[in-house]
Amino acid sequence: MKELFKTFKKDDFFKNVNFHVHSTFSDGRVEFETLIKEAKELNLKYYSITDHNTIEGYENLKELPEGLITGVEFDCYMDLNLPHILGLNVDINNEKLKKLCTPFKKDFFETPRRIFSSRDPKKVIDAIHSAGGIAILAHPCCYWCLSLDKFVKKLVDMGLDGIEVYYPYNRLTRIVKFHSRKTPKKLAQKYDLIISGGEDQHKSLIHKTRKINWERIV
């Protein structure tokens, strides 16, 4: 998987690959299998549906479609922050990974439930590795920390494999901005991290937000 990421160019993250998508198995609005159909329609070479703390969508598949990389996004807690760590190319039958998963309940209490049940990042990274996957820090510019470098370095020491560099927003809830969009790429180079990217899409993949000019954002 690491070798595959080395083949991606910047333009691939705008056109051909999307490693951060959500379905109705977590807080997305589109059903898992519909996203698969849309990815095929868009001719995506590689993509991953990364629902929050659950791999339920993959468990329902009879076989993995071409281009779909298994994935999950875990809510974690570290240094008064709630980092999200993506596990890509994971074995969904791995018991260590499955123990960290919980069903997503769409009710009023889901957000506070996720906050108060946030996982230890070291355990998450270890579980992802145990499942044969790679651990990626999602949307790094959104975390409340004076030094993103120190924040990322702490995760690197825990075994972090990569960092999202290409995604179409740089603000927490798209309101508060903490870090420059140039910083994640610099940190990827500094710590020899995999560069990843995805839309963090919660709607249709064919939604008009795909027309955003990422070149002006990244």
Side-chain angles (χ1 to χ4, degrees), residues 83-139:
H84 290 180
I85 296 179
L86 299 167
L88 299 179
N89 197 40
V90 292
D91 176 6
I92 63 170
N93 296 310
N94 180 272
E95 290 301 323
K96 196 170 183 179
L97 186 83
K98 290 171 70 173
K99 286 181 180 179
L100 290 177
C101 294
T102 55
F104 193 97
K105 299 179 181 179
K106 295 189 176 183
D107 56 33
F108 178 79
F109 300 102
E110 181 55 34
T111 297
R113 186 185 299 116
R114 283 172 54 190
I115 293 174
F116 288 108
S117 63
S118 294
R119 296 143 182 81
D120 177 83
K122 180 66 168 63
K123 291 182 178 179
V124 165
I125 293 172
D126 286 347
I128 290 170
H129 289 165
S130 175
I134 56 175
I136 307 288
L137 178 64
H139 38 69

Coordinates of all heavy atoms in Angstrom, one line a residue, residues 83-139:
P83 N -8.0 14.1 17.5 CA -7.5 13.8 16.2 C -8.3 12.6 15.5 O -8.7 11.7 16.3 CB -6.0 13.4 16.4 CG -6.0 13.0 17.8 CD -7.0 13.8 18.5
H84 N -8.5 12.6 14.2 CA -9.1 11.5 13.5 C -8.0 10.8 12.8 O -7.2 11.4 12.0 CB -10.1 12.1 12.5 CG -11.4 12.6 13.2 ND1 -12.4 13.1 12.5 CD2 -11.7 12.7 14.5 CE1 -13.4 13.5 13.4 NE2 -12.9 13.3 14.6
I85 N -8.0 9.5 12.9 CA -6.9 8.7 12.3 C -7.6 7.7 11.3 O -8.5 6.9 11.8 CB -6.1 7.9 13.3 CG1 -5.3 9.0 14.2 CG2 -5.1 7.0 12.6 CD1 -4.4 8.3 15.2
L86 N -7.2 7.8 10.1 CA -7.7 6.8 9.1 C -6.9 5.6 9.0 O -5.7 5.6 9.1 CB -7.7 7.5 7.7 CG -8.5 8.8 7.5 CD1 -8.1 9.5 6.2 CD2 -10.0 8.5 7.5
G87 N -7.6 4.4 8.9 CA -6.9 3.2 8.7 C -7.3 2.7 7.3 O -8.5 2.5 7.0
L88 N -6.3 2.6 6.4 CA -6.5 2.3 5.0 C -5.9 0.9 4.7 O -4.9 0.6 5.2 CB -5.9 3.3 4.1 CG -6.5 4.8 4.2 CD1 -5.7 5.7 3.2 CD2 -8.0 4.8 4.0
N89 N -6.6 0.2 3.9 CA -6.2 -1.2 3.5 C -6.1 -2.1 4.7 O -5.2 -2.9 4.8 CB -4.8 -1.1 2.8 CG -4.6 -2.4 2.0 OD1 -5.5 -2.9 1.3 ND2 -3.3 -2.8 2.0
V90 N -7.1 -2.1 5.5 CA -7.2 -2.9 6.7 C -7.9 -4.2 6.5 O -8.8 -4.3 5.6 CB -7.8 -2.2 7.9 CG1 -7.0 -1.0 8.4 CG2 -9.3 -1.7 7.5
D91 N -7.5 -5.2 7.2 CA -8.2 -6.5 7.2 C -9.4 -6.4 8.1 O -9.3 -6.2 9.3 CB -7.3 -7.6 7.7 CG -8.0 -9.0 7.8 OD1 -9.2 -9.1 7.4 OD2 -7.4 -9.9 8.3
I92 N -10.6 -6.4 7.5 CA -11.8 -6.1 8.3 C -12.2 -7.3 9.3 O -13.0 -7.1 10.2 CB -13.1 -5.8 7.5 CG1 -13.4 -7.0 6.6 CG2 -12.8 -4.6 6.6 CD1 -14.7 -6.9 5.9
N93 N -11.5 -8.4 9.1 CA -11.7 -9.5 10.0 C -10.7 -9.6 11.2 O -10.7 -10.5 12.0 CB -11.6 -10.8 9.2 CG -12.7 -11.0 8.2 OD1 -13.8 -10.8 8.5 ND2 -12.3 -11.3 7.0
N94 N -9.8 -8.6 11.2 CA -8.8 -8.5 12.3 C -9.5 -8.2 13.7 O -10.2 -7.2 13.8 CB -7.8 -7.5 12.0 CG -6.7 -7.3 13.1 OD1 -6.9 -6.6 14.0 ND2 -5.6 -8.1 12.9
E95 N -9.3 -9.1 14.6 CA -10.0 -8.9 15.9 C -9.6 -7.7 16.7 O -10.4 -7.0 17.4 CB -9.8 -10.2 16.8 CG -10.5 -11.4 16.3 CD -12.0 -11.2 16.2 OE1 -12.6 -10.6 17.1 OE2 -12.6 -11.7 15.2
K96 N -8.3 -7.3 16.6 CA -7.8 -6.1 17.3 C -8.5 -4.9 16.8 O -8.9 -4.0 17.5 CB -6.3 -6.1 17.2 CG -5.6 -5.1 18.2 CD -4.1 -5.3 18.1 CE -3.4 -4.4 19.2 NZ -2.0 -4.6 19.1
L97 N -8.7 -4.8 15.5 CA -9.3 -3.7 14.8 C -10.8 -3.7 15.2 O -11.4 -2.6 15.5 CB -9.2 -3.8 13.3 CG -9.7 -2.6 12.5 CD1 -8.7 -1.4 12.6 CD2 -10.0 -2.9 11.1
K98 N -11.5 -4.8 15.1 CA -12.9 -4.9 15.4 C -13.3 -4.5 16.8 O -14.3 -4.0 17.0 CB -13.4 -6.4 15.1 CG -13.3 -6.7 13.6 CD -13.6 -8.2 13.3 CE -15.0 -8.6 13.6 NZ -15.3 -10.0 13.2
K99 N -12.4 -4.7 17.7 CA -12.6 -4.4 19.1 C -12.7 -2.8 19.3 O -13.3 -2.4 20.3 CB -11.5 -4.9 20.0 CG -11.7 -6.4 20.3 CD -10.6 -6.9 21.2 CE -10.7 -8.4 21.4 NZ -9.6 -9.0 22.3
L100 N -12.1 -2.1 18.4 CA -12.2 -0.6 18.5 C -13.4 -0.1 17.8 O -13.6 1.1 17.9 CB -10.9 0.0 17.9 CG -9.6 -0.2 18.6 CD1 -8.4 0.3 17.8 CD2 -9.6 0.4 20.0
C101 N -14.1 -0.9 17.0 CA -15.2 -0.4 16.2 C -16.5 -0.4 17.1 O -16.7 -1.3 17.9 CB -15.4 -1.3 15.0 SG -14.1 -1.2 13.8
T102 N -17.4 0.5 16.8 CA -18.7 0.6 17.4 C -19.7 1.0 16.4 O -19.4 1.8 15.5 CB -18.7 1.6 18.6 OG1 -18.2 2.9 18.1 CG2 -17.8 1.2 19.7
P103 N -20.9 0.5 16.5 CA -22.0 0.9 15.6 C -22.2 2.4 15.7 O -22.2 3.0 16.8 CB -23.2 0.1 16.1 CG -22.6 -1.0 16.8 CD -21.4 -0.5 17.5
F104 N -22.5 3.1 14.6 CA -22.8 4.5 14.6 C -24.3 4.7 14.8 O -25.1 4.2 14.0 CB -22.4 5.1 13.3 CG -22.4 6.6 13.3 CD1 -21.2 7.3 13.5 CD2 -23.5 7.3 13.0 CE1 -21.2 8.7 13.5 CE2 -23.5 8.7 13.0 CZ -22.3 9.4 13.2
K105 N -24.7 5.4 15.8 CA -26.2 5.6 16.1 C -26.5 7.0 15.7 O -26.0 8.0 16.3 CB -26.4 5.3 17.6 CG -26.1 3.9 18.0 CD -26.4 3.7 19.5 CE -26.1 2.3 20.0 NZ -26.3 2.1 21.4
K106 N -27.5 7.1 14.9 CA -27.9 8.5 14.4 C -29.0 9.0 15.3 O -30.1 9.0 15.0 CB -28.4 8.4 12.9 CG -27.2 8.0 12.0 CD -27.7 8.1 10.6 CE -26.5 7.8 9.6 NZ -26.8 8.0 8.2
D107 N -28.5 9.6 16.4 CA -29.4 10.2 17.3 C -28.8 11.5 17.9 O -27.6 11.8 17.6 CB -29.9 9.3 18.4 CG -28.7 8.7 19.2 OD1 -27.7 9.4 19.4 OD2 -28.8 7.5 19.7
F108 N -29.5 12.2 18.8 CA -29.0 13.4 19.3 C -27.7 13.3 20.1 O -26.9 14.2 20.2 CB -30.1 14.0 20.3 CG -29.7 15.3 21.0 CD1 -29.7 16.5 20.3 CD2 -29.3 15.2 22.3 CE1 -29.3 17.7 20.9 CE2 -28.9 16.4 22.9 CZ -28.9 17.6 22.2
F109 N -27.5 12.1 20.7 CA -26.3 11.8 21.5 C -25.1 11.3 20.8 O -24.1 11.1 21.5 CB -26.7 10.8 22.6 CG -27.9 11.3 23.5 CD1 -29.2 10.8 23.3 CD2 -27.7 12.3 24.5 CE1 -30.2 11.2 24.1 CE2 -28.7 12.7 25.3 CZ -30.0 12.2 25.1
E110 N -25.2 11.2 19.5 CA -24.0 10.6 18.8 C -22.8 11.4 18.9 O -21.7 10.8 19.1 CB -24.4 10.3 17.3 CG -23.3 9.7 16.5 CD -22.8 8.4 17.1 OE1 -23.6 7.6 17.7 OE2 -21.6 8.1 17.0
T111 N -22.9 12.7 18.7 CA -21.7 13.5 18.8 C -21.0 13.5 20.2 O -19.8 13.2 20.3 CB -22.0 15.0 18.4 OG1 -22.4 15.0 17.0 CG2 -20.7 15.9 18.5
P112 N -21.8 13.8 21.3 CA -21.1 13.6 22.6 C -20.6 12.2 22.9 O -19.6 12.0 23.5 CB -22.2 14.1 23.6 CG -23.5 14.0 22.8 CD -23.1 14.3 21.4
R113 N -21.4 11.2 22.3 CA -20.9 9.8 22.5 C -19.6 9.6 21.9 O -18.7 8.9 22.5 CB -22.0 8.9 22.0 CG -21.7 7.4 22.3 CD -22.8 6.5 21.5 NE -24.1 6.8 22.0 CZ -25.1 7.3 21.2 NH1 -24.8 7.5 19.9 NH2 -26.3 7.5 21.6
R114 N -19.4 10.1 20.7 CA -18.1 10.0 20.0 C -17.0 10.7 20.8 O -15.9 10.2 20.9 CB -18.2 10.5 18.6 CG -18.9 9.6 17.6 CD -19.2 10.3 16.3 NE -18.0 10.8 15.7 CZ -17.9 11.6 14.7 NH1 -19.1 12.0 14.1 NH2 -16.8 12.0 14.2
I115 N -17.3 11.8 21.3 CA -16.3 12.6 22.0 C -15.8 11.9 23.3 O -14.6 11.7 23.6 CB -16.8 14.0 22.4 CG1 -17.0 14.8 21.1 CG2 -15.8 14.7 23.3 CD1 -17.6 16.2 21.3
F116 N -16.8 11.4 24.1 CA -16.5 10.8 25.3 C -16.0 9.3 25.2 O -15.5 8.8 26.2 CB -17.7 10.8 26.3 CG -18.0 12.2 26.8 CD1 -19.1 12.9 26.3 CD2 -17.1 12.8 27.7 CE1 -19.3 14.2 26.8 CE2 -17.4 14.1 28.2 CZ -18.5 14.8 27.7
S117 N -16.1 8.8 24.0 CA -15.6 7.4 23.8 C -14.4 7.4 22.9 O -14.1 6.4 22.3 CB -16.7 6.5 23.2 OG -17.1 7.0 22.0
S118 N -13.7 8.6 22.7 CA -12.6 8.7 21.8 C -11.5 7.7 22.3 O -11.2 7.5 23.5 CB -12.1 10.1 21.8 OG -13.0 11.0 21.2
R119 N -10.8 7.2 21.3 CA -9.8 6.2 21.5 C -8.4 6.7 21.7 O -8.1 7.8 21.2 CB -9.9 5.2 20.3 CG -11.2 4.4 20.2 CD -11.6 4.2 18.8 NE -12.9 3.6 18.7 CZ -14.1 4.2 18.9 NH1 -14.1 5.5 19.1 NH2 -15.2 3.6 18.8
D120 N -7.6 5.9 22.3 CA -6.2 6.2 22.5 C -5.5 6.1 21.1 O -5.6 5.0 20.5 CB -5.5 5.3 23.5 CG -4.0 5.5 23.6 OD1 -3.6 6.4 24.3 OD2 -3.3 4.8 22.9
P121 N -4.8 7.1 20.6 CA -4.2 7.0 19.2 C -3.2 5.9 19.1 O -3.1 5.3 18.0 CB -3.6 8.4 19.0 CG -3.4 9.0 20.4 CD -4.6 8.4 21.2
K122 N -2.4 5.6 20.1 CA -1.4 4.5 20.0 C -2.1 3.2 19.8 O -1.7 2.4 19.0 CB -0.6 4.5 21.3 CG 0.5 3.4 21.3 CD 1.5 3.7 20.3 CE 2.8 2.8 20.4 NZ 2.6 1.4 20.3
K123 N -3.2 3.0 20.5 CA -3.9 1.7 20.4 C -4.6 1.6 19.0 O -4.6 0.5 18.4 CB -5.0 1.6 21.5 CG -4.5 1.4 22.9 CD -5.6 1.2 23.9 CE -5.1 1.0 25.3 NZ -6.1 0.8 26.3
V124 N -5.0 2.8 18.5 CA -5.6 2.8 17.2 C -4.6 2.5 16.1 O -4.8 1.6 15.2 CB -6.3 4.2 16.9 CG1 -6.6 4.4 15.4 CG2 -7.6 4.3 17.7
I125 N -3.5 3.1 16.2 CA -2.4 2.9 15.2 C -1.9 1.5 15.3 O -1.7 0.8 14.2 CB -1.2 3.9 15.4 CG1 -1.7 5.3 15.1 CG2 0.0 3.5 14.6 CD1 -0.7 6.4 15.5
D126 N -1.7 0.9 16.5 CA -1.3 -0.5 16.6 C -2.3 -1.4 16.0 O -2.0 -2.4 15.4 CB -1.1 -0.8 18.1 CG 0.1 -0.2 18.7 OD1 1.0 0.3 17.9 OD2 0.3 -0.2 19.9
A127 N -3.6 -1.1 16.2 CA -4.7 -2.0 15.7 C -4.7 -2.0 14.1 O -4.8 -3.0 13.5 CB -6.0 -1.6 16.2
I128 N -4.5 -0.8 13.6 CA -4.4 -0.6 12.1 C -3.3 -1.4 11.6 O -3.4 -2.1 10.6 CB -4.3 0.9 11.8 CG1 -5.6 1.6 12.1 CG2 -4.0 1.1 10.3 CD1 -5.6 3.1 12.0
H129 N -2.1 -1.3 12.2 CA -1.0 -2.1 11.8 C -1.2 -3.6 11.9 O -0.8 -4.4 11.1 CB 0.3 -1.6 12.5 CG 0.8 -0.3 12.2 ND1 1.7 0.4 13.0 CD2 0.5 0.5 11.1 CE1 1.9 1.6 12.4 NE2 1.2 1.7 11.3
S130 N -1.8 -4.0 13.0 CA -2.1 -5.4 13.2 C -3.0 -5.9 12.1 O -2.9 -7.1 11.7 CB -2.8 -5.6 14.6 OG -3.3 -6.9 14.8
A131 N -3.9 -5.0 11.6 CA -4.8 -5.4 10.5 C -4.2 -5.2 9.1 O -4.8 -5.3 8.1 CB -6.1 -4.6 10.6
G132 N -2.9 -5.0 9.1 CA -2.1 -4.8 7.8 C -2.3 -3.5 7.1 O -2.0 -3.4 5.9
G133 N -2.9 -2.5 7.8 CA -3.2 -1.3 7.2 C -2.2 -0.2 7.5 O -1.2 -0.4 8.1
I134 N -2.4 1.0 6.9 CA -1.6 2.2 7.2 C -2.4 3.2 7.9 O -3.6 3.4 7.6 CB -1.0 2.8 5.9 CG1 -2.1 3.1 4.9 CG2 0.0 1.8 5.3 CD1 -1.6 3.8 3.6
A135 N -1.8 3.9 8.8 CA -2.5 4.9 9.7 C -2.2 6.3 9.2 O -1.0 6.7 9.1 CB -2.0 4.8 11.1
I136 N -3.3 7.1 8.8 CA -3.1 8.4 8.2 C -3.8 9.4 9.1 O -5.0 9.2 9.5 CB -3.8 8.5 6.9 CG1 -3.3 7.3 5.9 CG2 -3.6 9.8 6.2 CD1 -1.9 7.5 5.5
L137 N -3.2 10.5 9.5 CA -3.8 11.6 10.2 C -4.7 12.4 9.3 O -4.2 13.0 8.3 CB -2.7 12.5 10.8 CG -3.3 13.7 11.6 CD1 -4.1 13.3 12.8 CD2 -2.2 14.7 12.0
A138 N -6.0 12.5 9.6 CA -6.9 13.2 8.8 C -6.9 14.7 9.0 O -6.6 15.1 10.2 CB -8.3 12.6 9.0
H139 N -7.3 15.5 8.0 CA -7.4 17.0 8.1 C -6.6 17.6 9.2 O -7.1 18.2 10.1 CB -8.9 17.4 8.3 CG -9.7 16.5 9.1 ND1 -9.5 16.4 10.5 CD2 -10.7 15.6 8.9 CE1 -10.4 15.6 11.0 NE2 -11.1 15.0 10.1

